[in-house]
Amino acid sequence: MVVLAASIVSKSGKVLVSRQFMDMSRMRIESLLAAFPKLVGTGKQHTFVENENVRYVYQPIEALYLVLVTNKQSNILEDLDTLRMLSKLVPEYSLSLDEEGICKTAFELIFAFDEVISLGHKENVTVAQVKQYCEMESHEEKLHKLVLQSKINETKDVMKRKASEIDKSKIEKNRGDKGGFMSLQSMGSGRIESSFSDLSISSGGGGFGSGSGFGLSTDVESYSTKSKGRQPSAATAPPKGLGMQLGKSKKTNQFLESLKAEGELIVEDVQPKAGQSRPAAPPPTDPITLTVEEKLNVTLKRDGGISNFDVQGTLSLQILNQDDGLIQVQIESGGNPGILFKTHPNMNKELFSSENILGLKDPNRPYPTGPGGDAAGVGLLRWRMQSADESMVPLTINCWPSVSGNETYVSIEYEASSMFDLCNVVISVPLPALREAPNIRQIDGEWRYDSRNSVLEWSILLIDNSNRSGSMEFVVPPADSSAFFPISVCFSATNTYSDLKVAKIIPLRGGAPPKFSQRTTLITENYQVV
C-alpha cells in the first residue's frame, strides 16, 4: 500500500488541504485532484474511482470530499481503514465542516495526517494518540517565550522612565522661564517691550521697535525683555543665547521624533556587538562528509546546436575530528569514457589508477581537519567532460518570437532529458523596456516579472517524468527578436554525469569504518541560449 496524497476538496474540485507523502510536484497533484470530480458519478455506492494511473479512495463529508490518492497496486482494504481514521480526525480539529473551517485549521489537519501516514504507509495509532502527539508541549519553547516577554517588559519600563524624565525636564524648564520673566517684569519701571530674539538680532539692538506697546502669547518660546532706561546692548545679549539654545533643542526633538515616526528605536549609550549581525552556521553532524559537485557551463544556439558544453566536477572531504584523519576513500565511477579524472598532487596516483582508492602518498599523514562551519572541505579529485553531442544537454530551450500587428507573440518551450530530475528551474527571458508586466497567455509553472531589470522569470519547481516538456506564451509590444536573447537558465539536480559514489571509508589504524555521509549535486554555473 502506498498513499500518494491525502486531500480535502470541494465538490466543485477546489483543493482546500492536500498533504503529499511522495515526491510529487504541485502541478502534478493539482492535475490529479482536478480530474477527481469528473470521475465521481452520481447515484453510485462505490467509495473509489480509478483512472489509468492512480486510484481515488474517497468519503463525502457534508459538502466536501476526503480523498486518498493511491497507486493502483495498493491494498484497498488498508486504504479504506486509513480513510476511516482520517475521517474521524477531521471533525476533531475542524469544528465547522465547510471551506472556511477547513482553511482555518489547515495546518492542524496536515500535522494530524502526518501522524497517521508515514512515507505512504499507515501508522498503528488511534485518534487519542494522534491528538496527544500533536499537542506536545515544549519546555524550551515556554522558556524562550518567558525570556522574550521579560525583555519586552523591561524595554517598556525603560521607555516609561525616559518619558517621565523628559516630561520633568520640560516642566522645570518652563518654570524657570516663567520665573525669570516675572522677576524682570517686577523689576521694571512700568512698561516691558517684547520681541522675538531669533528673528532679528544685531549689535545695535534693532528688533521690532521699542515704542509700539507690548503683546504676550503662550506659544512664544523665545523672547527678549528690555526694561525702559537700560542700554540696548545689555538688553539683547541674554535673549541671543536663550534663543539659540531653544532653537537647537527644538531641532533635536524634531529629528528624534521623525526617526521614531519612521519606526526607529532610539536607545542611548548602547554599543552594538560585532557578532550579533551574523548568525553562527550550524556545524555538520557527521564526522566525515564527502561532497560530489559538478558545475555545468553550456551555451546553446537559438537555432539549434551547441556552442559550448563543459562539465567540471570536484570531490571534497571534510573531517571534524583529528582522530578520523588516517583514512582512505574507495570510490566507484559510472565508467563514462569522456570524463578525465585528476587527483590532488598529494594523493597516491598509482593506488587510484589500480584500485580506485584515494589515499595520501604518506599513509602516516592524516587528512587536515577544517573548522566546523567550513562547507568546502579539502579537494581530493577533479574531473572534466566536454562534448558536442546535443543529447547530453539536460534542458533545451526553444524561443519563437513573431510580430503580428502592434503586438509580439513569444512562445517558449522546454524539453528535458530523462537523465536528470531537475529542481528549482528558473528560465530568465530578457524583455524590451515595458511600462507594465507582459500579458501571459499560457504557462506551465509560475512566472514573475522583474521590472527593474526587465526580465521575465519562468519557474518550475520540479521537472520529472510527469512534465519533461512544457511551454509558455506571452504578448508584448512590437520588438525585435534579438531582444529576447540571451536566455539564462539555472537549476540543480541530485545526480551527476560522472555518477561518482563513495563505496566505503577504509581506516588505516584498523577497527570499524567511521560513519560518513555523501552529498551529490549538479548545478549550473553559466547556462545560456544565445
Side-chain angles (χ1 to χ4, degrees), residues 483-514:
F484 304 100
F485 295 93
I487 299 175
S488 300
V489 184
C490 63
F491 57 81
S492 62
T494 56
N495 48 349
T496 58
Y497 283 94
S498 63
D499 198 20
L500 189 142
K501 297 179 182 178
V502 178
K504 60 181 178 179
I505 299 295
I506 304 172
L508 298 180
R509 294 180 178 177

Side-chain angles (χ1 to χ4, degrees), residues 304-351:
I306 304 178
S307 296
N308 179 40
F309 181 86
D310 181 67
V311 179
Q312 297 182 6
T314 57
L315 172 64
S316 58
L317 171 68
Q318 183 181 8
I319 302 176
L320 296 184
N321 302 321
Q322 187 68 31
D323 298 337
D324 299 327
L326 292 174
I327 58 172
Q328 291 179 343
V329 181
Q330 175 80 53
I331 66 170
E332 295 177 356
S333 61
N336 192 334
I339 297 180
L340 301 176
F341 290 97
K342 178 182 290 187
T343 59
H344 192 276
N346 293 332
M347 308 301 292
N348 191 335
K349 296 183 179 180
E350 290 78 9
L351 184 64

Side-chain angles (χ1 to χ4, degrees), residues 93-376:
Y93 289 94
S94 179
L95 299 178
S96 59
L97 298 177
D98 54 5
E99 292 188 13
E100 184 179 0
I102 296 297
C103 293
K104 284 184 178 180
T105 58
F107 289 99
E108 288 79 2
L109 291 172
I110 290 175
F111 295 152
F113 288 178
D114 285 344
E115 297 297 334
V116 176
I117 304 173
S118 176
L119 298 177
H121 299 275
K122 180 180 179 298
E123 297 287 342
N124 188 15
V125 293
T126 62
V127 176
Q129 288 176 335
V130 172
K131 294 185 66 176
Q132 181 183 3
Y133 297 158
C134 293
E135 293 174 356
M136 284 292 185
E137 297 181 353
S138 172
H139 176 70
E140 288 80 7
E141 182 181 2
K142 284 186 177 181
L143 183 61
H144 173 72
K145 289 182 177 180
L146 289 175
V147 173
L148 184 62
Q149 188 62 37
S150 64
K151 291 182 179 179
I152 293 174
N153 295 335
E154 183 179 356
T155 305
K156 289 182 179 179
D157 294 337
V158 173
M159 291 172 60
K160 289 180 181 179
R161 289 197 300 268
K162 291 289 184 181
S164 62
E165 291 175 2
I166 292 173
D167 293 336
K168 288 180 181 179
S169 63
K170 287 183 178 180
I171 293 173
E172 293 175 358
K173 190 173 185 179
N174 292 334
R175 285 178 180 176
D177 294 341
K178 291 180 180 179
F181 176 73
M182 295 302 293
S183 62
L184 288 173
Q185 185 180 12
S186 62
M187 290 172 61
S189 59
R191 188 175 66 176
I192 300 174
E193 299 176 356
S194 64
S195 64
F196 294 99
S197 64
D198 56 347
L199 294 177
S200 177
I201 301 176
S202 63
S203 60
F208 278 114
S210 59
S212 59
F214 67 93
L216 301 175
S217 62
T218 57
D219 58 345
V220 177
E221 295 184 2
S222 59
Y223 52 85
S224 63
T225 59
K226 180 173 66 175
S227 178
K228 188 175 181 179
R230 293 191 177 185
Q231 296 295 329
S233 60
T236 56
K240 182 175 180 181
L242 183 61
M244 292 178 65
Q245 182 180 1
L246 289 175
K248 181 179 180 182
S249 176
K250 183 177 179 180
K251 290 179 181 178
T252 305
N253 293 334
Q254 289 178 353
F255 177 70
L256 295 177
E257 289 174 359
S258 64
L259 288 179
K260 292 178 181 179
E262 293 176 359
E264 295 289 341
L265 181 62
I266 306 302
V267 181
E268 297 181 358
D269 299 332
V270 177
Q271 297 295 333
K273 296 181 180 179
Q276 293 178 352
S277 60
R278 182 178 298 177
T285 57
D286 296 309
I288 298 176
T289 303
L290 294 111
T291 303
V292 178
E293 183 183 57
E294 287 186 353
K295 295 181 180 180
L296 194 58
N297 291 274
V298 177
T299 303
L300 303 176
K301 299 178 182 179
R302 67 182 73 176
D303 299 328
I306 304 178
S307 296
N308 179 40
F309 181 86
D310 181 67
V311 179
Q312 297 182 6
T314 57
L315 172 64
S316 58
L317 171 68
Q318 183 181 8
I319 302 176
L320 296 184
N321 302 321
Q322 187 68 31
D323 298 337
D324 299 327
L326 292 174
I327 58 172
Q328 291 179 343
V329 181
Q330 175 80 53
I331 66 170
E332 295 177 356
S333 61
N336 192 334
I339 297 180
L340 301 176
F341 290 97
K342 178 182 290 187
T343 59
H344 192 276
N346 293 332
M347 308 301 292
N348 191 335
K349 296 183 179 180
E350 290 78 9
L351 184 64
F352 175 74
S353 301
S354 59
E355 303 181 25
N356 278 346
I357 295 178
L358 293 171
L360 293 173
K361 294 179 180 179
D362 184 4
N364 297 321
R365 177 184 175 185
Y367 283 104
T369 58
D374 185 10

Side-chain angles (χ1 to χ4, degrees), residues 14 188 351 377 434 440 503 529:
K14 180 181 179 182
L351 184 64
L434 303 177
I440 307 297
V529 181

Side-chain angles (χ1 to χ4, degrees), residues 388-402:
D389 187 2
E390 195 170 358
S391 63
M392 300 295 292
V393 176
L395 186 69
T396 58
I397 308 294
N398 295 321
C399 181
W400 300 87
S402 60

